[in-house]
Amino acid sequence: ERIREKDVPIASSGINAEYGCVEDPVIQYLARKYRKAPSQIVLKWVIQHGVGVLPKSKSPPHIRENADIFQFSLTVEDMESIDDLNRNTHFTPHPRQLE
């Protein structure tokens, strides 16, 4: 919250399916509900939280899929259902571990 108070932009390097979040039953349910790919649901959730995302893909269909997240919004209830999935888990190494 201190970062947001200082108006520092927050960004994520993207969502990677290998970390398992797109396989969660809640994400799978919302993907069916919105008729979107699970990765689109997660990207939309991140963006609706005000975090910039820099998705990476080499596949043209996946690049188009990543861009096709601005025609819908998750409801407050759906956002909260994803928020409740918090497991206090990091899916990538801490920057200090990369040194």
Side-chain angles (χ1 to χ4, degrees):
E1 290 187 26
R2 288 179 41 191
I3 290 173
R4 290 181 195 259
E5 289 172 5
K6 302 288 183 187
D7 291 327
V8 174
I10 301 171
S12 168
S13 61
I15 307 303
N16 194 326
E18 74 183 63
Y19 301 124
C21 61
V22 295
E23 294 162 2
D24 187 277
V26 171
I27 302 299
Q28 292 288 320
Y29 165 77
L30 294 173
R32 287 189 302 275
K33 175 182 175 180
Y34 288 94
R35 297 183 178 146
K36 297 291 182 182
S39 59
Q40 289 175 297
I41 298 299
V42 176
L43 286 172
K44 188 62 174 186
W45 172 76
V46 171
I47 288 172
Q48 279 188 223
H49 271 297
V51 176
V53 179
L54 306 169
K56 177 186 172 204
S57 178
K58 295 178 183 177
S59 160
H62 196 189
I63 292 168
R64 284 189 291 277
E65 184 178 273
N66 286 340
D68 186 30
I69 61 169
F70 299 102
Q71 292 75 26
F72 75 103
S73 293
L74 299 170
T75 65
V76 170
E77 294 81 13
D78 292 340
M79 289 288 291
E80 290 172 351
S81 70
I82 299 172
D83 292 344
D84 290 343
L85 297 176
N86 183 5
R87 295 180 184 96
N88 291 319
T89 301
H90 293 276
F91 294 111
T92 57
H94 191 281
R96 289 189 193 120
Q97 295 174 331
L98 300 175
E99 295 174 352

